[in-house]
Amino acid sequence: MKHQNLAALIPLLAVEPLGLNLRDVAQTAQKLGYGGLAVGIGHPEINAKSFGHTARRHFKQILGAHGLVLGALRVGVGKSGAFDPATSQKLLDDALTACDLAHQLQTPLVSVYIGEPADDQNISGDVAEIVRLLAVRADRTGVVVALSCGQSQWLLKLISSIDAPCLAANLDSARVVAAGGSPPQAAELLAGRMALWTCADAIRTGSTVQITPLGSGRAAGQEVVRILKNQDYTGPIVVDVRDLPHPVQAAEHSRNQLQQWIFA
C-alpha cells in the first residue's frame, strides 16, 4: 500500500463561518496554522462591486503577507441547488462568476455544491446542461470545478456522464452523513476523481442532522485520512466549521484534530 504524507497538503480554512473580514480571517488562519483560505463567492468583500483589479491585488498582498494562498472559491445556494428552477440559474451564474474570478486571482479550484437530488439514480437533462455549461467555462478559464452533494454514487455518475477533465468531486463529509452515507465509503467510491475534501463532522438521528466538532460525529475523519493516504490524494483539505458555536475555537480544534490524524 502507498502512504502519502498528507502533511504536505494545504489545509484551507473556510471563511464564512468565522464572520470576519478578509484581513482578520487571514490573521486568524495564519495564527491557527492553516496554509490558506477557501472563500465563498457571496462573501461581502468578494461580492462587492468595488472588488476590482486594485482590491484583488490588495487581497493577494494580504494573503502573501500572512504566508497564505487562496486555495478555492466556494459556490452554493442550498439543498435545492441545480434541482429547482428557482435556484438553478443563480447557482449557474455564481459558479460561472467564480470561474472567472478564480482565473483572475490565479486560484486553481472552484467548489460548487450542486444540491441534493430527490432521485439519486437518474440525472435530469437540466442538471446535466448546467454542469456542461460550467465545464465549458472552467476549461476556458483554466480552473477545476469540484462538485459536491450528499449522494456520492449520484455525484460520481454525474461527473462520469460529462467526462470533462476540469470536473472533479468534492467529498463533503458532513453532507454525506446528512444524506445517510459513509464518508469513508464515499472516499473509496470517488477514488481518482476527488479534487477536494471538505472536512466537517455531523450526526444524523432520523431526519435530524447536527453538525459536531471534528472527531465527535459520524464522519470517521481518521478513516478518510487513511484512505486518502492510500490513494495518493493530492488535493487540498477544507476545514469547515459551519453551524458550530465559537467558530474560531472550533477551527483551532479542527486543525489540531486533522494534524493528529495525518501523523497517526
Side-chain angles (χ1 to χ4, degrees):
M1 279 187 181
K2 299 176 181 179
H3 293 280
Q4 181 185 10
N5 183 1
L6 294 190
L9 301 180
I10 297 175
L12 307 175
L13 180 60
V15 166
E16 284 67 36
L18 275 69
L20 301 173
N21 63 47
L22 294 175
R23 180 183 292 276
D24 288 346
V25 81
Q27 293 175 345
T28 299
Q30 179 191 38
K31 179 181 178 181
L32 297 181
Y34 285 88
L37 304 180
V39 182
I41 193 69
H43 188 280
E45 290 174 78
I46 294 288
N47 197 37
K49 292 183 178 179
S50 59
F51 195 70
H53 177 74
T54 300
R56 292 194 297 269
R57 184 177 64 214
H58 182 56
F59 177 44
K60 292 173 69 174
Q61 289 172 345
I62 291 173
L63 292 174
H66 291 87
L68 303 174
V69 299
L70 178 60
L73 292 176
R74 308 173 85 204
V75 178
V77 295
K79 292 180 68 174
S80 297
F83 305 96
D84 185 341
T87 55
S88 60
Q89 188 60 52
K90 177 171 174 50
L91 178 70
L92 177 59
D93 290 345
D94 286 355
L96 296 177
T97 297
C99 288
D100 293 340
L101 184 57
H103 175 72
Q104 294 162 7
L105 291 170
Q106 297 180 312
T107 299
L109 194 61
V110 172
S111 170
V112 178
Y113 176 43
I114 199 75
E116 299 300 332
D119 176 359
D120 62 3
Q121 300 299 318
N122 300 309
I123 299 170
S124 73
D126 291 342
V127 172
E129 181 60 20
I130 286 172
V131 176
R132 287 191 190 97
L133 292 171
L134 184 52
V136 170
R137 184 66 62 88
D139 183 67
R140 184 184 305 164
T141 53
V143 302
V144 171
V145 172
L147 302 173
S148 67
C149 80
Q151 301 288 345
S152 302
Q153 290 185 336
W154 182 92
L155 180 61
L156 180 60
K157 185 183 296 185
L158 172 65
I159 294 170
S160 300
S161 69
I162 306 299
D163 194 27
C166 58
L167 292 181
N170 166 19
L171 171 58
D172 188 321
S173 290
R175 297 199 192 280
V176 171
V177 171
S182 161
Q185 289 179 7
E188 295 277 16
L189 182 70
L190 298 170
R193 305 305 294 264
M194 281 178 57
L196 182 64
W197 174 32
T198 298
C199 186
D201 214 335
I203 294 173
R204 173 175 168 168
T205 306
S207 60
T208 301
V209 177
Q210 179 183 357
I211 303 297
T212 67
L214 194 64
S216 63
R218 300 291 178 84
Q222 187 168 15
E223 180 66 8
V224 172
V225 167
R226 184 191 67 79
I227 291 168
L228 295 183
K229 285 181 179 180
N230 291 339
Q231 292 177 0
D232 285 341
Y233 174 75
T234 58
I237 300 170
V238 171
V239 169
D240 189 343
V241 296
R242 60 182 180 264
D243 299 328
L244 287 175
H246 312 297
V248 173
Q249 291 92 325
E252 182 176 19
H253 165 80
S254 296
R255 177 68 176 119
N256 293 339
Q257 182 67 82
L258 187 58
Q259 276 193 309
Q260 289 179 24
W261 290 339
I262 289 172
F263 288 106

